[in-house]
């Protein structure tokens, strides 16, 4: 499963995990002011099964963060299992759709998505996390790092490309990140708009 690294400890970055199988997102959250709903789903059918719920969240003006798995960034658009253009699917339904391309961008992308969902008119946001940004460095290096003894010029070029890809994927991943909440912008009506 795409989110196995996140669900091993029973939670996702300290958020309690509530296991649901074959169910859409929870009902609209407009009755919980100041809160945001979070759903993490697997790539492909896991993401597409949330379309109706995301549309309901949009219409109810409920802040929802949908985190969807995706094929490895190196395999995007190359026929990988469950590789569909998920961002285009949610572009008209969500206030923001973003795909994380490097490990160092996970925390900033999630912080910005949470603020976007809650600011202005609340609504859903979508963050796509390809599988290679979720697994540890050694696992990714082992799976796509190429062979250690490349043969010929072509083999050495492919090995160089894959090694650089992995270095770029994890560059800055171990640097500390600010995880404090960003300020939410809630527009308030002026006295002229209210009519007093």
């Amino acid at each position: 499963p795409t989110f196995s690294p996140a669900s091993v400890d029973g939670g996702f970055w300290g958020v309690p995990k509530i296991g649901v199988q074959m169910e859409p997102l929870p009902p609209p959250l407009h009755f919980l002011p100041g809160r945001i709903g979070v759903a993490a789903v697997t790539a492909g059918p896991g993401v597409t099964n949330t379309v109706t719920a995301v549309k309901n969240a949009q219409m109810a003006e409920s802040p929802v963060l949908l985190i969807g798995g995706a094929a490895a960034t190196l395999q995007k658009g190359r026929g990988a299992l469950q590789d569909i253009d998920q961002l285009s699917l949610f572009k008209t339904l969500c206030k923001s759709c973003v795909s994380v391309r490097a490990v160092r961008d996970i925390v900033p992308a999630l912080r910005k998505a949470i603020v976007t969902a809650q600011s202005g008119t609340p609504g859903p946001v979508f963050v796509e996390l390809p599988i290679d940004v979720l697994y540890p460095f050694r696992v990714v290096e082992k799976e796509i790092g190429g062979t250690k003894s490349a043969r010929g010029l072509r083999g050495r070029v492919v090995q160089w490309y894959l090694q650089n890809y992995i270095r770029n994927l994890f560059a800055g991943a171990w640097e500390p990140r600010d995880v404090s909440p960003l300020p939410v912008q809630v527009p308030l009506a002026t006295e002229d708009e209210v009519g007093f």
Side-chain angles (χ1 to χ4, degrees):
T2 302
F3 279 98
S4 60
S7 60
V8 168
D9 65 353
F12 193 68
W13 293 307
V15 176
K17 177 182 156 189
I18 301 171
V20 178
Q21 295 180 351
M22 300 306 292
E23 292 292 333
L25 293 176
L29 301 167
H30 58 274
F31 53 87
L32 295 173
R35 305 291 232 139
I36 182 170
V38 179
V41 297
T42 191
V47 170
T48 59
N49 286 345
T50 65
V51 170
T52 302
V54 169
K55 179 61 179 177
N56 288 340
Q58 178 197 41
M59 293 178 67
E61 297 180 357
S62 295
V64 173
L65 168 60
L66 176 61
I67 302 170
T73 53
L74 191 60
Q75 297 174 331
K76 290 287 247 176
R78 297 179 184 211
L81 179 65
Q82 299 180 345
D83 180 24
I84 62 170
D85 187 1
Q86 300 175 150
L87 298 178
S88 292
L89 185 64
F90 288 104
K91 197 177 288 185
T92 61
L93 302 175
C94 294
K95 294 176 68 176
S96 170
C97 295
V98 64
S99 182
V100 175
R101 299 290 181 201
V103 175
R104 68 183 167 272
D105 298 330
I106 294 173
V107 171
L110 291 174
R111 288 177 75 214
K112 184 174 181 188
I114 289 168
V115 167
T116 301
Q118 294 177 307
S119 294
T121 301
V125 293
F126 176 63
V127 176
E128 181 182 75
L129 295 177
I131 194 166
D132 50 353
V133 302
L134 295 174
Y135 279 97
F137 175 79
R138 294 290 173 217
V139 173
V140 175
E141 182 181 46
K142 179 182 172 190
E143 292 297 319
I144 62 173
T147 61
K148 297 297 178 193
S149 57
R151 295 185 193 171
L153 178 61
R154 182 177 186 182
R156 287 193 300 272
V157 169
V158 169
Q159 182 181 15
W160 171 84
Y161 176 80
L162 292 174
Q163 291 299 320
N164 279 324
Y165 168 77
I166 293 170
R167 279 191 212 101
N168 290 333
L169 184 68
F170 286 91
W174 294 276
E175 295 174 7
R177 298 274 181 259
D178 182 9
V179 294
S180 62
L182 294 172
V184 175
Q185 303 297 322
V186 180
L188 299 174
T190 64
E191 288 185 21
D192 292 337
E193 292 171 328
V194 175
F196 290 121

